[in-house]
Amino acid sequence: MYWLRFIYLRLKGLLRKEQVEEEMDAEMRFHLLMRAQENIRDGMTPETAMLDARRRFGNLDRIKDAAREIKGGGMLATLLQDARYGVRMMIKTPVFTVIAVLTLAAGVGANTAIFSVVNAVLLKSLPYHNSDRFVFVSATNQGAGPGTISAAEAQDFAAHLTTLEDFAAVQSQSINLTGGSQPERVRGAFVTHNFFEVFKLSPTVGRTFVRGEDQPGAERVVVVNEGFWRRHLNSDPQLAGRKVILNGEPYSVVGVVPSSFRQPFDAEVEIWTTVQRFPGYAERRDARFLFGVGHLKPGVTQAQAQVEADTVAARMAQVYPNESAGRGAKVELLEEVTVRNIRPVLLALFAAVGCILLIACSNLANLMLARGTARQKEFALRSALGASRGRLARQLLTETTLLALLGGGIGLLLARWGTDLLLAVNPNVLPRGGEVRLDAAVLLFTLGVSVLTGFLFGLAPAWQLARIDLNTALKEGGRSGGEGLGALRARSVFVVVQMALALVLLVGGALFIKSFYNLLQVDPGFKTDNLLTLEYRLPRNKYVEPAAQWEFHRQLVEQLKAVPGVESAALVRGLPLTGNSASVRITLPDREMPPRGQEPQIQFNTATPDYFSTMGIPFVQGRLFGDGDRLNTPFVIIINQTMARRFWPGQDPIGKQVKFVGDDDELATVVGVVGDAKHDWLSEEQRPQIYNSYSQTPGIFATVVVRTKVEPMSLSQTVREAVWKVDKDQPVWKVRTVESLLAYNVADKRFLMLLMVVFAALALIITSIGLYGVVNYTVGRRTHEIGIRMALGARAGDVLKLVVSQGMGLALTGVAVGLIASFALTRYIQSLLFGVSATDALTFTSVSALLGGVALLACYIPARRATKVDPLLALRHE
């Protein structure tokens, strides 16, 4: 060809570099005009003739660029030149550019969205003083509240835990706020006097608590946050004499703290008072309701603090055997406790989006290799004109990096929308969800991922094309079926990698779907439809005596039953699926007494007689609570079937007696048996349960359960008014349906399942497109070969079989590799699954069949096109 002469002369040194561009420009223009004249003689219009000529000689700009780059001009100038050339190439191939950018945007966007959550939840330090040394102290093996310690035990820990530089105790609970136009429920916390000192939190107005204010008999004082201060105190800086009515008692407001402070595990707290004001507070060592917080001393490890806490707990068990026998202590880093449940979920999602990015890189590397085959002459020419292999690789990597940066920019926008969607779908699943944002760390991550992605998917094509020599390029470029063996192998490897990664994601998504389905099939033991619920807490100073407490409860139930649209109404202390759970330790009078502190723990609840029918919990035998079960009458209980089977297998439990440990070893008689009901989680193993009657142990807290004949939330205001008819100053809160509680109970599993399904579907789409593109490109490159085969007698079925078998060979290899990888990796998500093994054979088989079917379709469509090749046209292809 005409341009080979210039390459030859350049190689021989007979042309100076400066002459190359000028000489080739003139030669190209001459041949351009000659071609146009031939087209006009063949009957083309002048405009069409010039367009065809320019299309034939469209590499004029590439040759001129090659000549320019040989002249040099400094590293920065060369990089700018590479960037300009890369932009021109993107513009000249808009279809490829759009596909590449959108593929990258999907991969980078998914990674950025998940990383923004990982960054906020797992990587960022907690917004507290010395958060890396902040610890959470709880108890183990106790029966009066999971993980809690008493005020007396908190004093012991504060005095004897020398590995801690400070220690405070806290418990949060809703509080009645009255004295305004309408009773209101606010979130409060009960703390020791040094709570704010541990957090190094200074008040914006007034002061915080001082020593002695957390002792019995001290004045009632409260600290509020700025939000409460603005809403209820009109931002008055003069706090002297300002009081609020909490739980029916006046409290003096002594200080205001910033609203930016979010208490650990309960970000909604806006008022703080002292521990002795907690409802049910007692100075007994077994009156447990607190958790401890503090800081490790510099240089002290969590393990060292744990050893000391074990020693202190053992000493307390020796000194107070009746109250502390069998109890231990647990010291954990607060950062670890905060993210303990969500960490495996986020790591699984982060691994999934990482797989998507690798699939996208493999897909684009394949496209670049295919596109690079068409650019072999260009790169061979550049090499002949003096460009080094490194120079050629750098040019291609510059182009891929530009594509990646553009895809990353669009991916950043997708991540912004995706992050908002994640938080909107499950706003309460993520701890510290309010801190999720696209900050500087996320932007740097996106930039880094974009650059790395551009390098990854451009590395193989750059390596392949930079190694092309002139003779190979001319030989392979002159045939329609020609492609370097190295390029063919690289593309095959990328297809296998995509298929394997897609299978891993599909298996993970399918396992989570099956797990979630199994969870939804669990019978909670009650009917969730048409149930409205709300909570309230009576002020103890107003309802001091148990008789007054029961009278309020009784009147409220009567008022609720009279509401139009209400089918039945009842009260329960701890409604299932709300997290309100209690347990007691028991012994059986006719059995051998277990060692103190090792008695069996039983879920404990309090209910009115109609609770079981209102909830739809089946009655099995015996009787329900009746009018005769009153204060100062023999204590009676109802048990569930699990407790009956565990403690009296094959016996009639009616009339059996149970002794409650810690309450003067009070005896209770079993009068009835009801069906099992899940209490804390649908996924929990059914535990033994005991119910006692509200009429015998009224208490100040209750949850209303109303079964309605109409849509439950339509009665929410009417039910509130029923409460106010009994006591106009009694606030209520958490007005919601039981169906919403059920949805919340499985929200974390739904969150994980939905995201994994979306990521698996995205991986399937990208992989199928990639496989289709490879097979389609191969068909196009082998048109000449296929024409010869058909001219020699090959039938359409033979051609179809040939093309499909080659594509499916790669696909099935990828499936096999993916199966091995899935068996190795899915065991890490076993803890996130319910009712299904991480190596479930049916899931693996069905997913493999699905991916194989999609791969077959991706291969069949271009193979079908190959059977339509006209042999005569194919033989004239070149």
Side-chain angles (χ1 to χ4, degrees):
M1 293 183 181
Y2 65 91
W3 48 274
L4 293 179
R5 178 170 61 88
F6 294 101
I7 298 174
Y8 175 77
L9 292 174
R10 173 69 185 88
L11 293 175
K12 290 292 187 179
L14 300 179
L15 277 179
R16 297 190 311 276
K17 294 180 180 180
E18 291 78 6
Q19 293 176 292
V20 174
E21 180 180 5
E22 182 180 349
E23 294 288 342
M24 297 186 75
D25 195 356
E27 184 74 11
M28 290 288 290
R29 290 184 184 280
F30 170 75
H31 283 278
L32 182 73
L33 293 174
M34 293 296 293
R35 178 67 187 180
Q37 289 177 2
E38 291 177 9
N39 289 340
I40 292 173
R41 284 197 299 270
D42 290 341
M44 289 186 183
T45 63
E47 293 79 4
T48 306
M50 287 301 295
L51 287 174
D52 180 74
R54 288 185 180 278
R55 180 178 60 80
R56 296 276 184 166
F57 296 92
N59 57 349
L60 174 61
D61 289 337
R62 299 180 187 178
I63 296 171
K64 292 170 68 176
D65 285 339
R68 289 193 190 98
E69 74 181 36
I70 292 173
K71 298 175 185 178
M75 179 62 72
L76 181 58
T78 305
L79 289 176
L80 291 175
Q81 177 185 320
D82 289 345
R84 286 194 299 269
Y85 185 77
V87 171
R88 288 213 308 273
M89 291 301 298
M90 290 166 60
I91 295 174
K92 286 183 178 180
T93 54
V95 175
F96 170 80
T97 300
V98 170
I99 292 175
V101 168
L102 291 182
T103 302
L104 286 168
V108 174
N111 275 267
T112 301
I114 297 301
F115 177 78
S116 66
V117 177
V118 170
N119 180 55
V121 177
L122 300 184
L123 301 182
K124 278 187 177 179
S125 298
L126 292 172
Y128 307 127
H129 171 71
N130 288 335
S131 62
D132 59 324
R133 294 193 281 115
F134 216 128
V135 293
F136 177 77
V137 181
S138 59
T140 59
N141 191 34
Q142 77 298 325
T148 53
I149 60 178
S150 65
E153 290 171 331
Q155 292 176 3
D156 287 341
F157 282 129
H160 301 295
L161 286 179
T162 61
T163 52
L164 302 186
E165 66 180 13
D166 49 31
F167 181 88
V170 57
Q171 179 61 278
S172 59
Q173 189 181 88
S174 296
I175 298 176
N176 292 347
L177 173 66
T178 54
S181 59
Q182 186 171 299
E184 184 179 346
R185 193 69 175 172
V186 295
R187 196 66 181 168
F190 301 83
V191 300
T192 51
H193 75 276
N194 61 334
F195 175 79
F196 294 107
E197 295 175 11
V198 169
F199 286 90
K200 297 297 186 290
L201 188 65
S202 299
T204 55
V205 179
R207 63 172 177 86
T208 56
F209 303 121
V210 297
R211 184 179 298 276
E213 286 184 330
D214 56 355
Q215 297 301 313
E219 182 185 358
R220 289 185 291 269
V221 292
V222 64
V223 174
V224 303
N225 72 358
E226 291 173 334
F228 185 96
W229 180 52
R230 286 191 296 268
R231 291 196 315 273
H232 298 283
L233 302 175
N234 299 318
S235 303
D236 186 359
Q238 302 299 321
L239 296 179
R242 296 306 301 263
K243 294 185 181 294
V244 292
I245 307 300
L246 303 177
N247 289 338
E249 296 180 320
Y251 283 71
S252 299
V253 180
V254 297
V256 180
V257 295
S259 291
S260 58
F261 174 67
R262 293 289 185 268
Q263 181 175 301
F265 310 116
D266 198 338
E268 296 180 357
V269 171
E270 52 184 350
I271 61 175
W272 292 263
T273 188
T274 49
V275 291
Q276 79 276 20
R277 304 301 171 188
F278 185 83
Y281 170 84
E283 297 185 65
R284 302 193 321 268
R285 299 191 67 84
D286 58 354
R288 301 180 176 107
F289 60 94
L290 296 168
F291 293 100
V293 292
H295 287 92
L296 297 172
K297 288 182 177 178
V300 174
T301 66
Q302 179 266 335
Q304 291 172 323
Q306 180 62 62
V307 170
E308 186 181 42
D310 290 338
T311 302
V312 173
R315 189 182 306 134
M316 285 193 290
Q318 291 178 351
V319 177
Y320 308 101
N322 292 334
E323 297 89 351
S324 301
R327 288 174 53 80
K330 193 171 186 64
V331 179
E332 302 172 277
L333 290 173
L334 187 62
E335 289 183 339
E336 174 62 27
V337 177
T338 303
V339 301
R340 180 165 47 207
N341 294 330
I342 199 64
R343 175 184 279 116
V345 173
L346 293 182
L347 292 181
L349 292 177
F350 203 39
V353 293
C355 287
I356 290 177
L357 192 61
L358 289 176
I359 291 173
C361 288
S362 299
N363 198 356
L364 291 175
N366 252 333
L367 290 176
M368 290 295 292
L369 282 172
R371 184 166 172 256
T373 303
R375 297 179 64 183
Q376 286 181 354
K377 292 180 181 179
E378 171 197 342
F379 278 82
L381 179 59
R382 287 174 175 270
S383 181
L385 292 175
S388 65
R389 290 182 176 180
R391 181 70 181 81
L392 297 177
R394 189 180 67 198
Q395 172 62 56
L396 192 58
L397 288 175
T398 300
E399 294 178 21
T400 59
T401 301
L402 288 173
L403 285 171
L405 289 174
L406 183 57
I410 298 176
L412 195 61
L413 296 177
L414 296 177
R416 173 64 182 274
W417 299 330
T419 302
D420 292 342
L421 183 61
L422 288 181
L423 298 177
V425 170
N426 286 295
N428 298 316
V429 170
L430 296 173
R432 305 175 65 186
E435 300 177 37
V436 177
R437 57 180 57 88
L438 300 183
D439 56 14
V442 176
L443 295 178
L444 287 174
F445 172 83
T446 304
L447 177 62
V449 167
S450 300
V451 173
L452 179 62
T453 301
F455 179 79
L456 287 177
F457 81 80
L459 187 60
W463 172 260
Q464 190 67 36
L465 291 174
R467 298 173 63 245
I468 290 176
D469 60 74
L470 178 60
N471 290 330
T472 302
L474 291 175
K475 289 178 182 178
E476 294 186 352
R479 304 190 310 267
S480 52
E483 182 174 31
L485 184 60
L488 182 60
R489 287 175 177 172
R491 292 172 57 201
S492 299
V493 169
F494 286 134
V495 170
V496 170
V497 169
Q498 289 182 69
M499 295 294 294
L501 291 174
L503 184 72
V504 171
L505 284 180
L506 286 170
V507 167
L511 287 174
F512 284 120
I513 290 175
K514 192 169 184 178
S515 173
F516 187 66
Y517 174 80
N518 291 341
L519 186 61
L520 293 183
Q521 300 310 303
V522 172
D523 180 10
F526 51 86
K527 299 177 181 178
T528 61
D529 61 306
N530 281 46
L531 281 178
L532 181 68
T533 176
L534 59 84
E535 298 177 7
Y536 66 86
R537 188 184 308 275
L538 301 175
R540 185 173 293 277
N541 67 319
K542 186 175 182 179
Y543 297 90
V544 178
E545 297 298 327
Q549 297 165 3
W550 167 239
E551 184 61 20
F552 178 93
H553 298 321
R554 186 193 65 77
Q555 289 186 37
L556 176 58
V557 171
E558 294 299 321
Q559 288 288 341
L560 293 172
K561 289 180 178 179
V563 172
V566 170
E567 182 177 321
S568 62
L571 301 180
V572 67
R573 186 153 296 161
L575 184 69
L577 310 181
T578 60
N580 291 328
S581 180
S583 61
V584 293
R585 290 181 296 170
I586 67 166
T587 61
L588 303 180
D590 58 349
R591 310 276 175 90
E592 182 179 350
M593 182 79 69
R596 197 74 172 181
Q598 299 182 22
E599 301 89 348
Q601 294 190 46
I602 310 297
Q603 280 187 338
F604 184 79
N605 216 338
T606 305
T608 56
D610 290 337
Y611 169 72
F612 304 103
S613 60
T614 300
M615 288 289 291
I617 298 174
F619 172 69
V620 178
Q621 68 178 107
R623 69 171 178 88
L624 296 176
F625 302 126
D627 294 337
D629 301 318
R630 300 180 180 180
L631 293 168
N632 302 320
T633 61
F635 201 57
V636 295
I637 57 174
I638 294 173
I639 63 174
N640 70 341
Q641 289 176 295
T642 294
M643 182 166 180
R645 287 191 296 266
R646 181 169 301 181
F647 291 95
W648 300 284
Q651 303 179 45
D652 183 358
I654 304 301
K656 300 292 185 180
Q657 290 190 314
V658 172
K659 182 179 292 186
F660 293 103
V661 177
D663 289 335
D664 298 325
D665 292 338
E666 184 174 7
L667 281 172
T669 302
V670 177
V671 297
V673 179
V674 294
D676 292 335
K678 300 288 186 180
H679 191 83
D680 292 326
W681 302 98
L682 280 182
S683 56
E684 71 184 359
E685 182 181 353
Q686 184 62 57
R687 293 172 57 188
Q689 296 171 333
I690 288 177
Y691 301 88
N692 76 314
S693 175
Y694 254 111
S695 58
Q696 290 192 311
T697 55
I700 61 174
F701 176 79
T703 303
V704 173
V705 186
V706 175
R707 181 164 294 279
T708 67
K709 303 174 184 178
V710 296
E711 199 283 318
M713 289 304 294
S714 66
L715 297 181
S716 59
Q717 184 59 31
T718 308
V719 170
R720 283 189 178 94
E721 292 172 355
V723 176
W724 296 334
K725 286 181 180 179
V726 181
D727 186 340
K728 63 181 180 60
D729 292 326
Q730 179 59 51
V732 297
W733 69 98
K734 294 184 180 179
V735 182
R736 51 196 174 177
T737 65
V738 173
E739 286 182 330
S740 70
L741 291 174
L742 180 64
Y744 180 78
N745 195 264
V746 299
D748 56 337
K749 298 292 191 296
R750 179 187 288 109
F751 176 77
L752 180 58
M753 184 269 296
L754 287 176
L755 289 186
M756 286 298 297
V757 169
V758 170
F759 295 153
L762 185 58
L764 181 62
I765 292 171
I766 295 175
T767 301
S768 58
I769 291 175
L771 181 60
Y772 168 81
V774 169
V775 176
N776 188 58
Y777 175 79
T778 303
V779 169
R781 298 290 295 176
R782 298 179 64 182
T783 301
H784 188 68
E785 174 198 339
I786 292 172
I788 293 176
R789 288 176 178 271
M790 298 188 72
L792 293 176
R795 293 172 297 179
D798 297 326
V799 174
L800 186 70
K801 182 179 179 181
L802 173 68
V803 176
V804 171
S805 62
Q806 291 181 349
M808 287 301 295
L810 296 176
L812 293 178
T813 302
V815 169
V817 174
L819 283 173
I820 297 173
S822 297
F823 272 108
L825 296 176
T826 51
R827 61 191 179 92
Y828 291 107
I829 63 172
Q830 182 64 66
S831 62
L832 302 175
L833 302 175
F834 175 77
V836 59
S837 169
T839 55
D840 181 61
L842 179 60
T843 299
F844 276 68
T845 302
S846 57
V847 167
S848 299
L850 171 64
L851 187 57
V854 172
L856 180 61
L857 180 63
C859 295
Y860 176 80
I861 295 174
R864 183 71 178 173
R865 184 172 65 84
T867 63
K868 306 296 184 181
V869 170
D870 187 334
L872 294 178
L873 294 178
L875 292 175
R876 285 190 238 164
H877 183 67
E878 294 294 329

